[in-house]
Amino acid sequence: MERTLIIIKPDAVQRGLTGEIIKRFEARGLKIIGMKLLHISRELAEKHYDVHRERPFFAGLVEYIISAPVVVMALEGSDAIAAARATIGATKPSEAAAGSIRGDFGLEIGRNLAHGSDSPENGELEVANFFSESELLSGWRRDVDRWVFE
């Protein structure tokens, strides 16, 4: 099973879309193994966005993600990275498919509602940045799993 980190960003939390976004991942069949509401510290934001450190938009990313509370979730499932990214939609909301989170609720790239890990390796790394292993409940089975997973 793959793991992915989802961040429900400040714009989504402020707009009251948290429940709708969580619902979409659960309806997709992804299992929540960790979730919390937090105000990301500057240090953690810089670590999370480190891959963009040399880009001109790095400072803006950090300022935005620390500007208000977020919800972070660790999700688990078969091909969780691809499933979560399809559920979120293209980075630029105007290019995101209808039915995706960004396609349905987004207008601008700088307010694109959610983050999802982009690879299995980054999924593990990002989950570890936001959750200790003791905060993750990976071993539990949902009754519905037999109807979701082959």
Side-chain angles (χ1 to χ4, degrees):
M1 291 286 168
E2 278 184 354
R3 288 182 178 178
T4 185
L5 179 79
I6 302 298
I7 301 175
I8 301 175
K9 294 180 179 180
D11 56 322
V13 173
Q14 292 293 324
R15 291 174 58 191
L17 295 171
T18 303
E20 175 65 30
I21 291 171
I22 293 168
K23 175 185 170 185
R24 288 179 182 222
F25 291 112
E26 286 190 304
R28 184 72 189 253
L30 295 166
K31 181 168 58 172
I32 299 170
I33 61 169
M35 182 166 54
K36 54 186 157 181
L37 174 73
L38 69 132
H39 210 134
I40 297 177
S41 69
R42 179 173 301 279
E43 179 183 7
L44 182 53
E46 289 179 357
K47 182 177 181 181
H48 178 70
Y49 286 125
D50 191 58
V51 66
H52 300 300
R53 187 171 296 278
E54 301 306 318
R55 300 214 160 153
F57 54 83
F58 174 76
L61 281 175
V62 170
E63 290 303 320
Y64 168 64
I65 204 72
I66 68 172
S67 67
V70 300
V71 173
V72 293
M73 295 189 297
L75 302 180
E76 192 173 71
S78 297
D79 209 14
I81 303 292
R85 290 179 71 78
T87 302
I88 293 168
T91 303
K92 188 174 181 183
S94 63
E95 296 173 0
S100 68
I101 292 164
R102 291 174 178 159
D104 288 354
F105 302 116
L107 287 175
E108 296 191 13
I109 196 167
R111 299 291 181 265
N112 65 12
L113 306 157
H115 163 85
S117 304
D118 64 2
S119 70
E121 299 77 23
N122 282 341
E124 292 292 331
L125 180 67
E126 291 178 353
V127 166
N129 284 339
F130 286 88
F131 294 92
S132 67
E133 272 303 314
S134 67
E135 294 177 302
L136 299 174
L137 301 174
S138 184
W140 71 284
R141 290 198 43 84
R142 301 174 297 187
D143 289 338
V144 73
D145 283 349
R146 65 189 181 111
W147 301 107
V148 175
F149 304 110
E150 294 180 34

